[in-house]
Amino acid sequence: MAFPEPKPRPPELPRKRLRTLDCGQGAVRAVRFNADGHYCLTCGSDKSLKLWNPLRGTLLRTYSGHGYEVLDAAGSFDNSSLCSGGGDKAVVLWDVASGQVVRKFRGHAGKVNTVQFNEEATLILSGSLDSSIRCWDCRSRKPEPVQKLDEARDSVSSVKVSDHEVLSGSVDGRVRRYDLRMGQLFSDYVGSPITCTCFSRDGQCTLVSSLDSTLRLLDKDTGELLGEYTGHKNQEYKLDCCLSERDTHVVSCSEDGKVFFWDLVEGALALALPVGPGVVQSLAYHPTEPCLLTAMGGSIQYWREEAYAVEGGAG
């Protein structure tokens, strides 16, 4: 006899602060989980990049090689490499284990706001204040990018990569999606400078945050507006947004010291999580668990669901 499938648990939100880490690297410009969510990266205004075990609160390695503040970083799928970009206009490829700079890619005419690996970690894509996205071959010795995407009319604030698509947001108010297989560009006009954009985990939708204190959920293929989320404050800073690990909630930083969670379908505010007295500069959501990292000032905060017990899973 077949047993009925157990009902999926209702989604839990990370509302319990387990740890605050003082990163000791000036203001933390960005915090990012690695591919499996066991480690995280922090980008500092003191030119350093740091790798942590956030659950244990341990610093694993410091990466020094940028000439100005580090603005974004990403880890490769196999955790062997890191890439970062910053105010020195450089894109840096790092070896995780040794902490050494493998390659430094120069070519952008302005600061590098955002970096991402492709799925195989053979390319780094970087978006810059110079209005371009550049694709750098990690294995090539050539100094120039293999491709340059320069359709944006203003600073590129956000770049995300799926297996054959590049999603970008720009201060010109447009979300652009490049389908690399078809060689096509799709563009949607939001009308306000875009601070962050990302794919939903199921790949069907894109989430866009902009400086009119609004997040918008768009159908990836048609550009149709599926939902709008408001209540947070985002008028001055480049702030992160994302979807929760099961695509049930929309999550955003806010300039009033909170992280906001909305129900994806209903659009209703589910939680305004108080982080502290400043701007929540950056956030990262765990790939598979209700676990959140936030960055404010010089520290990061590690959040889990209420029922989480540290003893049971310190790994």
Side-chain angles (χ1 to χ4, degrees):
M1 150 180 176
F3 288 98
E5 286 287 312
K7 273 199 182 137
R9 287 177 300 123
E12 294 181 274
L13 297 179
R15 52 179 82 217
K16 179 165 79 170
R17 186 191 305 230
L18 282 193
R19 187 181 290 287
T20 297
L21 281 173
D22 183 6
C23 298
Q25 52 184 154
V28 178
R29 296 300 184 206
V31 60
R32 303 285 179 248
F33 271 114
N34 75 326
D36 57 19
H38 291 330
Y39 306 105
C40 74
L41 295 162
T42 54
C43 304
S45 63
D46 72 343
K47 316 177 196 174
S48 75
L49 181 64
K50 291 187 176 184
L51 178 69
W52 306 84
N53 178 327
L55 178 58
R56 297 212 166 114
T58 47
L59 174 63
L60 303 172
R61 193 172 279 283
T62 300
Y63 301 85
S64 303
H66 274 284
Y68 207 70
E69 61 181 1
V70 187
L71 296 173
D72 195 19
S76 62
F77 71 97
D78 61 358
N79 297 325
S80 68
S81 303
L82 305 174
C83 63
S84 59
D88 58 1
K89 310 177 192 173
V91 176
V92 181
L93 174 65
W94 308 85
D95 178 69
V96 169
S98 70
Q100 298 299 307
V101 174
V102 179
R103 294 289 311 280
K104 206 175 257 199
F105 301 100
R106 297 190 182 279
H108 279 297
K111 67 180 183 179
V112 178
N113 294 318
T114 176
V115 290
Q116 286 273 294
F117 281 110
N118 67 338
E119 289 205 332
E120 300 80 34
T122 52
L123 291 175
I124 300 169
L125 288 90
S126 55
S128 166
L129 188 67
D130 68 11
S131 310
S132 76
I133 298 169
R134 297 178 194 227
C135 310
W136 311 93
D137 187 337
C138 297
R139 300 164 300 182
S140 161
R141 296 322 264 165
K142 290 188 180 146
E144 58 275 350
V146 290
Q147 195 169 8
K148 183 179 169 192
L149 308 171
D150 53 10
E151 284 74 19
R153 304 268 67 88
D154 206 331
S155 176
V156 177
S157 57
S158 180
V159 172
K160 296 294 189 303
V161 186
S162 75
D163 59 343
H164 65 283
E165 293 175 312
V166 176
L167 183 68
S168 75
S170 168
V171 174
D172 66 12
R174 285 194 176 271
V175 188
R176 294 176 175 84
R177 182 170 58 87
Y178 299 85
D179 186 317
L180 302 177
R181 274 187 204 150
M182 310 290 289
Q184 287 178 300
L185 167 62
F186 304 90
S187 174
D188 292 301
Y189 186 57
V190 169
S192 175
I194 292 167
T195 61
C196 185
T197 180
C198 60
F199 292 105
S200 59
R201 306 222 180 224
D202 66 7
Q204 303 298 304
C205 308
T206 57
L207 181 65
V208 184
S209 71
S210 52
L211 288 182
D212 55 0
S213 298
T214 306
L215 286 97
R216 294 170 177 86
L217 188 71
L218 307 177
D219 182 288
K220 190 186 79 174
D221 294 325
T222 66
E224 180 193 353
L225 181 65
L226 302 175
E228 288 196 352
Y229 310 88
T230 56
H232 67 303
K233 185 177 177 213
N234 188 7
Q235 297 169 326
E236 295 178 58
Y237 294 91
K238 173 181 157 10
L239 302 183
D240 291 331
C241 66
C242 66
L243 288 137
S244 61
E245 86 283 8
R246 284 158 55 185
D247 274 349
T248 56
H249 288 80
V250 169
V251 191
S252 174
C253 294
S254 181
E255 290 166 12
D256 61 6
K258 301 185 185 85
V259 171
F260 283 72
F261 293 77
W262 296 266
D263 183 285
L264 176 98
V265 179
E266 307 283 326
L269 184 64
L271 173 64
L273 183 70
V275 178
V279 175
V280 184
Q281 285 279 14
S282 179
L283 58 76
Y285 216 96
H286 193 286
T288 56
E289 294 171 22
C291 173
L292 174 74
L293 290 169
T294 53
M296 178 180 285
S299 61
I300 60 169
Q301 301 78 33
Y302 182 76
W303 307 83
R304 291 295 309 223
E305 71 277 22
E306 290 284 7
Y308 182 79
V310 179
E311 305 77 51

